[in-house]
């Protein structure tokens, strides 16, 4: 197949890890006889420096003319003044809004060979393989708000419509159908009106997916179960702010921030794919960043935007095979053991892809 992919490396380690993922996507294309065109554009802090805008019109138009976007990370100390009028993360919000990306998918799995890097006992991590579906464009982060200057009150509003809940719930049910057919919807329906609407709507949507087992969990008790029995969960769907918090909690199960991919999706096949970590200014420029989160994001891109399931699975299997063969970047290496550079790790994944393909 032919596909155009826009690459927004962004800042810090962003361009370092996207370069590795792009080279592996090229390998996937060569092995499968596909023609992928890559177009790079400025985004985030580097775009502010060059054009005064974290999401310049030229970048937007390249994204509009592509099947998917592969993103690194944005931000860094030089753009971190919270009172600045223009900030790198505004680019992320505008990108999501522009393309109506209402669902953020974050798979979290624990790798047995990396268990010692996670804060939980190894036996609790056995079989951990879950997918969070976080609503991304509603709730408290987008509702009406008021700050009374330096006054003594302020408020934010959690507003959800049935249509907003239905679309993200359907996406989550479909994801569950392709996995272990178990969906957990997380809310705070014992207290919040918006959560009662959430739960009622998810229950209604459930009628369309009789093959999926649906549970409801209250966010406070779910936060505890996520640590006590993480292997119980398959797909989890939740609103924006709960998802923001719970996905970071779940991220520690994987052992390193560098391991985790994500996809932001809307109604169609277009998506933005990015690792969950930031621009890691402390290691930027050293060539040592763990590229796994970005490589697995590229696998999600193959699956969701290009419908290339076999290629996506092959790339994921190649990452696993590299890990099984002992390949480690410094964040997941044993103390005093030699660690690979980002590029060397990428080569180990490439070798595994070629061997399998
Ligand atoms: P961070 O994720 O960049 O780094 C946290 C720690 O994890 C650092 O010690 C870093 O070295 C390490 N780390 C992160 N990714 C790694 C990788 N791939 N391999 C090895 N180690 C890795 O978070 P932070 O330090 O809080 O933020 C740094 C900058 O990134 C800030 O400007 C922040 O606003 C931005 N940020 C951007 C995004 C995004 O682009 N989506 C997300 C989070 C933070």
């Amino acid at each position: 197949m032919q596909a155009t992919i826009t690459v927004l490396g962004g800042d810090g380690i962003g361009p370092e890890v996207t370069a590795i993922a792009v080279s592996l996507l090229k390998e996937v294309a060569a092995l499968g006889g596909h023609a992928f065109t890559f177009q790079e554009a400025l985004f985030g802090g580097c775009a502010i420096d060059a054009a005064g805008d974290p999401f310049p019109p030229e970048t937007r138009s390249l994204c509009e003319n592509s099947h998917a976007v592969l993103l690194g990370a944005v931000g860094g100390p030089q753009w971190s003044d919270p009172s600045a009028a223009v900030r790198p993360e505004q680019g992320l919000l505008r990108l999501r809004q522009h393309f109506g990306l209402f669902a953020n998918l974050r798979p979290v799995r624990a790798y047995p060979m990396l268990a010692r890097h996670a804060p939980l006992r190894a036996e609790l991590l056995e079989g951990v393989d879950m997918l969070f579906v976080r609503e991304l464009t509603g709730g408290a982060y987008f509702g009406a708000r008021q700050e009374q200057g330096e006054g003594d009150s302020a408020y934010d509003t959690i507003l959800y419509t049935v249509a907003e809940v239905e679309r993200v719930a359907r996406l989550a049910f479909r994801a569950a159908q392709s996995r272990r057919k178990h969906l957990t919807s997380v809310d705070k329906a014992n207290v919040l009106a918006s959560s009662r609407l959430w739960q009622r709507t998810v229950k209604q949507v459930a009628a369309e997916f009789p093959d999926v087992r649906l549970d409801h969990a209250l966010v406070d008790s779910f936060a505890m179960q996520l640590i006590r029995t993480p292997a119980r969960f398959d797909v989890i769907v939740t609103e924006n702010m709960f998802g923001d918090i719970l996905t970071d909690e779940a991220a520690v199960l994987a052992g390193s921030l560098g391991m985790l991919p994500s996809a932001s999706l809307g109604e169609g096949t277009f998506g933005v794919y990015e690792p969950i970590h930031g621009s890691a200014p402390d290691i930027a420029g050293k060539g040592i960043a763990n590229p796994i989160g970005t490589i697995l994001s590229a696998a999600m891109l193959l699956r969701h935007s290009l419908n290339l399931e076999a290629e996506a699975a092959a790339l994921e299997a190649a990452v696993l095979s590299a890990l099984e063969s002992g390949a480690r970047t410094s964040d997941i290496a044993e103390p005093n053991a030699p660690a690979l550079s980002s590029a060397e790790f990428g080569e180990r994944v490439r070798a595994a892809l070629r061997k399998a393909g």
Side-chain angles (χ1 to χ4, degrees):
M1 82 168 295
Q2 293 199 333
T4 301
I5 299 166
T6 296
V7 183
L8 308 178
D11 308 312
I13 62 168
E16 300 173 29
V17 289
T18 51
I20 311 281
V22 166
S23 86
L24 291 168
L25 283 172
K26 286 180 179 166
E27 189 69 42
V28 167
L31 288 170
H34 305 297
F36 297 164
T37 304
F38 297 91
Q39 44 190 30
E40 293 195 11
L42 292 173
F43 187 68
C46 59
I48 294 177
D49 289 351
D53 181 352
F55 186 35
E58 306 75 56
T59 298
R60 193 177 62 217
S61 105
L62 286 177
C63 294
E64 283 166 350
N65 291 304
S66 55
H67 293 85
V69 169
L70 183 69
L71 176 62
V74 300
Q78 59 273 56
W79 306 285
S80 66
D81 177 1
S83 62
V86 187
R87 296 191 310 277
E89 58 276 17
Q90 290 166 345
L92 289 173
L93 290 180
R94 280 169 49 203
L95 177 66
R96 289 169 187 161
Q97 269 170 335
H98 184 74
F99 288 102
L101 305 175
F102 60 81
N104 183 245
L105 272 61
R106 272 199 197 185
V108 177
R109 70 181 281 196
Y111 296 87
M113 68 291 266
L114 302 180
R116 67 172 298 283
H117 293 273
L120 296 193
R121 291 199 307 276
E123 65 265 29
L124 288 177
L125 294 171
E126 226 165 89
V128 167
D129 178 7
M130 61 184 120
L131 173 70
F132 276 88
V133 179
R134 165 189 167 194
E135 202 291 327
L136 203 54
T137 51
Y141 299 171
F142 292 91
R145 68 188 56 182
Q146 188 165 357
E147 276 177 55
Q148 316 259 323
E150 294 295 302
D152 60 4
S153 71
Y155 66 80
D156 301 283
T157 315
I158 304 174
L159 172 73
Y160 271 107
T161 65
V162 167
E164 283 173 323
V165 182
E166 279 176 349
R167 64 185 183 180
V168 75
R170 285 201 180 97
L171 198 147
F173 273 107
R174 282 196 291 270
Q177 279 182 320
S178 69
R179 292 173 47 103
R180 302 194 303 276
K181 298 187 171 50
H182 177 203
L183 179 65
T184 305
S185 171
V186 177
D187 59 47
K188 187 71 183 166
N190 56 343
V191 177
L192 298 175
S194 57
S195 275
R196 285 193 281 279
L197 177 125
W198 179 279
Q199 191 178 111
R200 189 186 81 214
T201 308
V202 172
K203 278 183 179 155
Q204 277 160 2
V205 172
E208 299 166 27
F209 301 90
D211 53 334
V212 175
R213 180 162 62 91
L214 172 67
D215 292 335
H216 300 274
L218 293 173
V219 63
D220 40 355
S221 107
F222 179 82
M224 202 167 61
Q225 292 166 33
L226 189 55
I227 296 300
R228 290 177 69 165
T229 50
R232 272 180 50 194
F233 300 108
D234 178 15
V235 180
I236 299 113
V237 64
T238 190
E239 63 98 74
N240 201 347
M241 185 165 65
F242 296 160
D244 190 10
I245 299 165
L246 294 172
T247 51
D248 268 24
E249 183 189 350
V252 301
L253 304 172
S256 167
L257 265 184
M259 306 288 296
L260 293 168
S262 80
S264 298
L265 305 176
E267 294 290 2
T269 57
F270 179 86
V272 173
Y273 301 84
E274 56 182 312
I276 71 151
H277 60 74
S279 59
D282 52 338
I283 58 166
K286 296 184 180 166
I288 59 167
N290 183 340
I292 293 179
T294 317
I295 299 171
L296 295 178
S297 300
M300 294 183 85
L301 183 158
L302 292 167
R303 174 173 293 123
H304 295 286
S305 284
L306 308 187
N307 199 22
L308 294 174
E309 175 57 40
E311 285 80 348
L315 189 51
E316 288 163 350
V319 169
L320 191 58
S321 158
L323 285 171
E324 278 166 352
S325 76
R328 301 280 187 275
T329 43
S330 55
D331 56 318
I332 51 173
E334 298 298 315
N336 305 319
L340 300 180
S341 68
S342 321
E344 287 165 341
F345 188 89
E347 287 313 311
R348 295 285 285 267
V349 177
R350 185 194 309 283
L353 260 179
R354 283 188 180 156
K355 200 167 160 199

